[in-house]
């Protein structure tokens, strides 16, 4: 079989997000959330990967593999720790990060909001607060004025669907932890408006930059009984945001797995629903999806109770299988690298002709050979989509480093580079070398 050839100007990268790697993000909502007595987080983020200090070494590691792009986020809570007070030292820090990325010959891709909010805004309702979109715009203007000249790719909001669903509907253990449909819908409105304002601000200050949101998209599969629920979930988690992005310069697609919604899946939650009072929407959605994304270690029946707070789970269960015999990752997701090609095809169908970048794709595993397989299979499926005309411009792997995986803590290892939690020592994994070789040659050997 001949090698699969990718275009010469393809973006090949690895991603991080500030809160997950920098450490000591003390002015953020997540920092407070991790410390609440009822937090779902098994451990606090703490010093994380100490990337705030070690960024230059980490960027050098990335460049050394052969990749050409670094996607990272700037942290609103550091830049504006109190309302209207902008920290020039923090802004300078990100200026240095961008300079370092450029000096290493890499393309910077900057995310302006990756899940975290400054605590002062969270205290007022976060994305539900009427002033949130305008405050976001004001912060974005400061950032773009400082670093915009050197950055050609901006992501406004990372996975707005996950922010709304995971935090405001309380489905993923994210702050603010409300379990309320009105809060969920209010957050969706705020995120959409925030994205639009940020996009307009980037365009005004830096007209040649490319700006877009990044979308969490699943390869959905439903049997006839599950179809209405699947369509509802897909609409609320993906389509409302994709529709708000018809004017973006690119569509960022982030896919980890396939989600199957079947009638048997719904039987447990529906039986519970019959006994419970909460409104259909609010109860149905988290229950059904939790069943699909359950931990590998839980293996609980559909609709089983939530994980106990601070239950660490067993993390990387090697060789764990799901109910239907499917391979599971540490996250409890189905191991399905090719899911990303299904979502990229869907994004292309919804936005014909618009450039697409896979801004995240990765796997939590304790066995790097699985990551190698995940990358190879994912890229082969993406190549086939490109051959069918999908305008894919890049592939950015999640993540550069093992890091703080939100409400799942440090046991989930997504890194191309391993991080020793006790010593902070980095070890470049074979998967990083593989992806770097593909990037350098532009070829995937079958
Ligand atoms: C995505 C997030 C990213 C990381 C991966 C595993 O939803 O954008 O921060 O946690 O999942």
């Amino acid at each position: 079989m001949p090698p699969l050839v990718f275009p010469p100007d393809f973006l090949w990268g690895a991603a991080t997000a500030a809160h997950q790697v920098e450490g000591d993000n003390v002015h953020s909502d997540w920092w407070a959330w991790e410390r609440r007595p009822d937090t779902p987080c098994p451990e606090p983020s703490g010093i994380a990967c100490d990337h705030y200090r070690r960024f230059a070494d980490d960027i050098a590691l990335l460049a050394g593999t052969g990749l050409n792009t670094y996607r990272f986020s700037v942290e609103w809570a550091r830049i504006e720790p109190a309302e209207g007070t902008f920290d020039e030292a923090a802004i300078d820090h990100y200026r240095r990060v961008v300079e370092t990325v450029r000096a290493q010959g890499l393309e910077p891709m900057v995310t302006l909001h990756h899940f975290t909010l400054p605590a002062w805004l969270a205290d007022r309702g976060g994305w539900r607060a009427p002033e949130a979109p305008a405050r976001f715009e004001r912060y974005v203007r400061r950032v773009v004025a400082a670093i915009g000249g050197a950055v050609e790719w901006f992501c406004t909001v990372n996975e707005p669907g996950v922010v709304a669903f995971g935090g405001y509907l309380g489905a993923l253990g994210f702050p603010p932890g409300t379990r309320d449909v009105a809060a969920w819908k209010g957050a969706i409105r705020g995120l959409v408006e925030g994205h639009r304002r940020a996009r307009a601000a980037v365009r005004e200050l830096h007209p040649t930059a490319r700006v877009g949101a990044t979308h969490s998209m699943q390869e959905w599969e439903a049997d006839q009984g599950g179809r209405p629920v699947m369509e509802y979930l897909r609409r609320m988690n993906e389509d409302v945001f994709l529709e708000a992005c018809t004017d973006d310069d690119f569509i960022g697609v982030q896919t980890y797995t396939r989600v199957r919604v079947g009638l048997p899946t719904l039987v447990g939650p529906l039986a519970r629903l019959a006994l419970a009072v909460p409104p259909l929407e609010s109860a149905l959605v988290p229950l059904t999806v939790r069943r699909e994304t359950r931990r590998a270690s839980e293996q609980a029946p559909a609709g089983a109770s939530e994980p106990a707070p601070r239950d660490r789970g067993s993390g990387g269960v090697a060789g764990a299988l799901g109910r239907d015999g499917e391979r599971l990752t540490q996250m409890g997701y189905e191991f399905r690298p090719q899911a990303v090609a299904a979502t990229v095809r869907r994004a292309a169908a919804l936005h014909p002709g618009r450039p697409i970048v896979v801004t995240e794709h990765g796997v939590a595993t304790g066995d790097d050979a699985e990551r190698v397989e995940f990358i190879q299979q994912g890229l082969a499926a993406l190549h086939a989509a490109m051959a069918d005309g999908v305008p894919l411009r890049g592939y950015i792997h999640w993540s550069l480093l093992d890091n703080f995986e939100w409400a799942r803590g440090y046991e989930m290892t997504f890194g191309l580079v391993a991080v020793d939690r006790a010593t902070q020592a980095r070890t470049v994994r074979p998967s990083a070398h593989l992806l770097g070789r593909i990037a350098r040659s532009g070829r995937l050997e079958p």
Side-chain angles (χ1 to χ4, degrees), residues 143-427:
V143 172
V144 178
I147 65 170
V151 177
E152 292 302 325
W153 293 86
F154 280 102
C155 306
T156 55
V157 178
N158 180 73
E159 298 188 346
V162 168
V163 175
F165 179 73
Y168 296 79
L169 194 59
L172 298 173
F174 286 18
T178 43
R179 289 179 172 273
D180 178 77
V181 172
W184 181 33
K185 294 188 174 170
I188 290 174
R189 279 192 296 276
L191 286 155
V192 164
E193 178 62 13
H195 162 69
R196 288 203 171 116
R197 281 174 170 262
R199 183 181 62 196
V202 172
R203 284 184 174 156
E204 186 189 315
L205 296 171
H206 186 17
T208 59
R210 277 157 286 201
V211 57
T214 65
H215 303 265
S216 166
M217 294 179 71
Q218 317 284 343
E219 180 186 6
W220 294 96
E221 203 177 272
D223 64 16
Q224 227 181 340
R227 182 154 281 278
V229 174
M230 183 279 272
E231 278 171 359
Y232 177 74
L233 290 172
R234 191 172 62 185
R235 156 127 222 94
M236 297 302 285
N237 286 318
E238 299 180 9
D239 296 357
V240 288
F241 302 103
L242 285 161
E243 282 163 17
C245 291
T246 44
D247 258 359
D248 288 8
D249 299 316
F250 69 96
I251 307 291
V253 172
Q254 315 197 155
T255 298
Y256 288 84
T257 192
R258 165 168 69 179
V259 174
R260 288 194 265 193
V261 186
L263 196 55
T265 309
L266 300 175
V267 169
L270 284 176
R272 285 158 53 101
L273 265 183
L275 302 169
V277 226
L280 182 76
E281 277 179 320
S282 59
L284 186 63
V285 172
L287 287 177
T288 52
V289 169
R290 193 177 310 122
R291 152 70 179 84
E292 294 297 336
T293 58
R294 71 195 183 282
R295 296 177 186 194
S297 53
E298 278 170 24
Q299 299 292 321
S305 59
E306 288 180 65
R310 295 189 174 280
D311 166 14
R312 295 176 65 90
S314 59
V317 188
L321 297 181
R323 171 174 296 192
D324 304 320
E326 72 278 19
R327 247 165 102 184
L328 297 180
T329 73
Q330 288 177 335
M331 296 288 281
Y333 298 165
E334 180 187 0
F335 181 93
R336 189 157 168 94
Q338 66 272 40
V340 72
T343 53
V344 154
R345 285 176 190 273
R346 182 160 191 271
L350 292 171
H351 291 289
R354 184 113 2 212
I356 296 174
V357 179
V358 170
T359 39
E360 286 183 22
H361 178 244
V363 59
T365 175
D367 174 3
D368 192 56
E370 280 202 316
R371 188 171 293 103
V372 165
E373 197 185 334
F374 196 86
I375 290 170
Q376 287 171 325
Q377 290 185 23
L379 287 176
L382 287 170
H383 190 274
M386 292 168 78
D388 289 340
V390 170
L392 186 68
R393 293 291 319 276
Y395 173 87
I396 297 174
H397 193 80
W398 183 270
S399 175
L400 175 63
L401 303 169
D402 288 343
N403 61 46
F404 178 73
E405 179 47 37
W406 308 111
R408 303 293 298 277
Y410 286 102
E411 276 192 60
M412 305 294 111
T413 47
F414 277 96
L416 294 167
V417 175
V419 178
D420 183 313
R421 295 235 43 76
T423 64
Q424 291 288 346
R426 271 58 165 161
T427 309

